[in-house]
Amino acid sequence: MARHRKKPRRLVADGRVYLWTLRHGHRAPYGGRPTECRQILTLYPQPAGTGGPLRIVFAAGPGRYVPGGFPMGSGDVGYVRGGSLNLHEPGAVRALLDAVSAQGRRPGERGAVEIDGWPLLEAATATTAEDAGSPDS
């Protein structure tokens, strides 16, 4: 049976449980027409009430791509000349969570936290590349 695309997925990292979702959105500058594509990965610490959501946002920009339809796949983000991730893959989500933790941020702090995902991308792609080359994969 196929997974419902809007149902949160479960991730366990370092003994902590998270539910996570991915959505595509647009920013409307100055209240005008929505133009800027954004991928928003949101992690919710579990059990509920143990911390606020962590939003990792990838906004389109020069030298970057964020899916807006064909020919790119849903969930793809990356640099035109560099690393990329598919945010539907649990390994990519875990790598981003690890990159956030490596910066000293604590997912689960009270209140929602939104961070720019682009500075995390290189570390996360290096982690997923290492995992792909390991004999356990």
Side-chain angles (χ1 to χ4, degrees), residues 11 13-14 18 41 43 54 56 58 85 87 90-107 115-128 130-131:
L11 176 73
D14 299 324
Y18 299 87
L41 174 66
L43 294 116
L54 170 65
I56 303 173
F58 291 90
L85 292 173
L87 301 179
V93 175
R94 172 62 193 262
L96 286 167
L97 184 58
D98 289 346
V100 167
S101 295
Q103 288 185 343
R105 296 179 186 261
R106 297 277 177 221
I115 59 174
D116 181 5
W118 294 110
L120 306 170
L121 189 76
E122 291 300 324
T125 55
T127 300
T128 57
E130 288 171 12
D131 290 344

Side-chain angles (χ1 to χ4, degrees), residues 22-108:
L22 178 65
R23 70 181 173 88
H24 182 83
H26 298 94
R27 180 167 281 180
Y30 308 109
R33 183 174 181 212
T35 54
E36 181 183 284
C37 287
R38 299 163 28 115
Q39 282 291 73
I40 304 154
L41 174 66
T42 306
L43 294 116
Y44 303 92
Q46 298 299 304
T50 60
L54 170 65
R55 291 186 191 94
I56 303 173
V57 179
F58 291 90
R64 306 171 178 172
Y65 63 87
V66 174
F70 182 80
M72 291 183 278
S74 172
D76 291 339
V77 295
Y79 292 108
V80 173
R81 290 186 168 83
S84 65
L85 292 173
N86 184 320
L87 301 179
H88 288 298
E89 296 176 0
V93 175
R94 172 62 193 262
L96 286 167
L97 184 58
D98 289 346
V100 167
S101 295
Q103 288 185 343
R105 296 179 186 261
R106 297 277 177 221

